Amino acid sequence: MSDPAPNSAPLPQTTPKVALVSVALLLFINLFNYIDRYVLAAVEPLIRAEFFPAGAADDKTAGLRMGLLATAFLVSYMVAAPIFGWLADRWKRWAIVGIGVTVWSIASGGSGMATMWLAMLLMRVMVGIGEAAYGPTAPTLISDLFPVQRRGAVLAWFYAAIPVGSALGYVMGGLVTKFTTWHWAFLLTLPPGLILGAMCFFMKDPPRGASDGATHHRASLRDYAMLARTPSYVLAVAGMTAFTFAIGGISFWMPTYLHEHRGQEDLGHVNLIFGGITVVAGLTATLLGGWLGDRLRARFSGSYFLVSGGGMILGFPFFLASLYAPMPMAYGFIFIAIFFLFLSTGPSNAILANVTHPSIRATGFALSIFFIHALGDAISPPIIGWVTDLTKTESNPAGDMTLGFLIVGGMILVSGVLWIWGAAYLKRDTELAPTRFAGDAHTTT
């Protein structure tokens, strides 16, 4: 491995206060990111009832078309992410984040003004494009603010916005619809989003590669090809893809499943309970997973993979139990399943940061976004909706969503196996990452 370049001392221009403010701003942005995503899931039955009234000609395809709203967002997100990842490796990252947050906030407000399915579809596409500017860029800023030894815990705090934002999306959807229409659940996300986006333009980028002891270079195709030859990166992305396939479909349909298929009559009450479970179990597990990954790193070189994969394997049987346990006992199994599944959030993303050279790190995250959504949750929500539509009969007009959950949920176990497999490669790939670059004189392959 080459020695750190003389000009790559950790963040000489970035004070701890600036690092803290940067992470806090990114965390709040990520929070509203996931609030916006899961407001849609929370109010899906109400949107479906407005756009596809019972007995209408297109009612029989309502489940599939509502699932496609999630897919439209994800397709635009995954297609645009590599473009913005390439830009983020070359341009001012905070400016890219600010532009993305502003675009998705406006589109989220536009979702609230939609009065037909096609308009909502177009707004979800724009939300995806806006988030594509932010998704691959934000973790690279954090990676340049904190060293490898602390990255898992700090990234866990950043990604803690996933369960908290998801839960607030469910809760917000449930509360707003108790007093007004579902449209306001989207409109209320617009003002804070615009404020957060404006704040980004006043932030200063940290030096690329400073916390890794690596110099920044303009990447070539040869450098990007190195990602495919890094086993830890490939297996981390494969595991994240399987996990995202499962959790994306399940989380989109869970409020509808509990409301229409498990006999929970009050949708607002369902959103409040499920949101509460998600925030408590998800937040606790996300922070614990990041801490465990860092803490065990000295003893187990593949700790980030082991924590992520172990959580999947432990959580899978509790997910199965939640589908068949009577209510309200099923809520307890949902809580335990979510806890184990969210242990992976910080460690799995720390793997991506640690095994990629700083000069291609944004692209590395962008490509992971492309694959986990293209082969993950862009597919699974429509599959569950399609299975539910397909199993509708006169005796069971709601269809069998449990079957759809079983088909999609099996990928939880697959992700666990892939991540456990990756543990053997992590130490080597982390050590080689700062030197795996064509522009470095001491590049190691």
Side-chain angles (χ1 to χ4, degrees), residues 185-445:
F186 293 97
L187 292 170
L188 290 174
T189 66
L190 178 58
L194 293 178
I195 292 171
L196 291 169
M199 292 174 65
C200 295
F201 294 100
F202 296 94
M203 302 297 292
K204 185 177 181 180
D205 281 24
R208 288 180 174 88
S211 61
D212 296 270
T215 53
H216 179 258
H217 300 277
R218 184 63 62 90
S220 66
L221 289 176
R222 176 184 171 188
D223 300 309
Y224 295 122
M226 183 62 70
L227 294 173
R229 298 197 299 272
T230 305
S232 294
Y233 179 84
V234 173
L235 289 169
V237 173
M240 293 171 79
T241 301
F243 170 68
T244 305
F245 180 90
I247 202 69
I250 293 165
S251 60
F252 181 83
W253 287 108
M254 182 58 75
T256 300
Y257 175 69
L258 294 172
H259 174 53
E260 297 182 356
H261 298 262
R262 298 304 302 273
Q264 304 302 290
E265 295 182 1
D266 188 335
L267 179 61
H269 186 62
V270 167
N271 281 313
L272 287 174
I273 294 178
F274 186 62
I277 288 173
T278 302
V279 72
V280 175
L283 176 60
T284 304
T286 298
L287 298 180
L288 178 62
W291 177 83
L292 274 177
D294 285 347
R295 187 65 180 268
L296 296 175
R297 189 171 177 269
R299 183 177 297 181
F300 304 102
S301 60
S303 62
Y304 295 141
F305 271 120
L306 296 175
V307 171
S308 300
M312 297 302 105
I313 292 171
L314 290 172
F316 182 66
F318 291 100
F319 164 70
L320 294 180
S322 72
L323 300 179
Y324 295 100
M327 302 297 296
M329 184 186 299
Y331 280 124
F333 289 116
I334 291 173
F335 182 97
I336 299 171
I338 288 175
F339 176 85
F340 282 121
L341 298 184
F342 271 93
L343 285 175
S344 68
T345 308
S348 61
N349 283 281
I351 294 166
L352 299 184
N354 292 350
V355 302
T356 53
H357 191 282
S359 298
I360 59 171
R361 186 170 285 151
T363 298
F365 273 97
L367 289 175
S368 75
I369 288 171
F370 177 84
F371 284 111
I372 70 175
H373 295 305
L375 303 177
D377 53 0
I379 301 172
S380 54
I383 287 177
I384 293 175
W386 175 72
V387 170
T388 304
D389 289 338
L390 194 65
T391 54
K392 289 179 179 178
T393 63
E394 290 185 6
S395 60
N396 182 20
D400 187 1
M401 190 171 284
T402 299
L403 177 60
F405 273 28
L406 285 171
I407 293 170
V408 168
M411 296 302 287
I412 294 172
L413 200 57
V414 173
S415 69
V417 172
L418 290 168
W419 277 332
I420 295 293
W421 181 10
Y425 303 99
L426 186 56
K427 183 176 185 294
R428 169 184 173 272
D429 291 341
T430 301
E431 291 175 346
L432 291 177
T435 66
R436 278 179 158 166
F437 201 77
D440 290 342
H442 303 287
T443 298
T444 304
T445 57

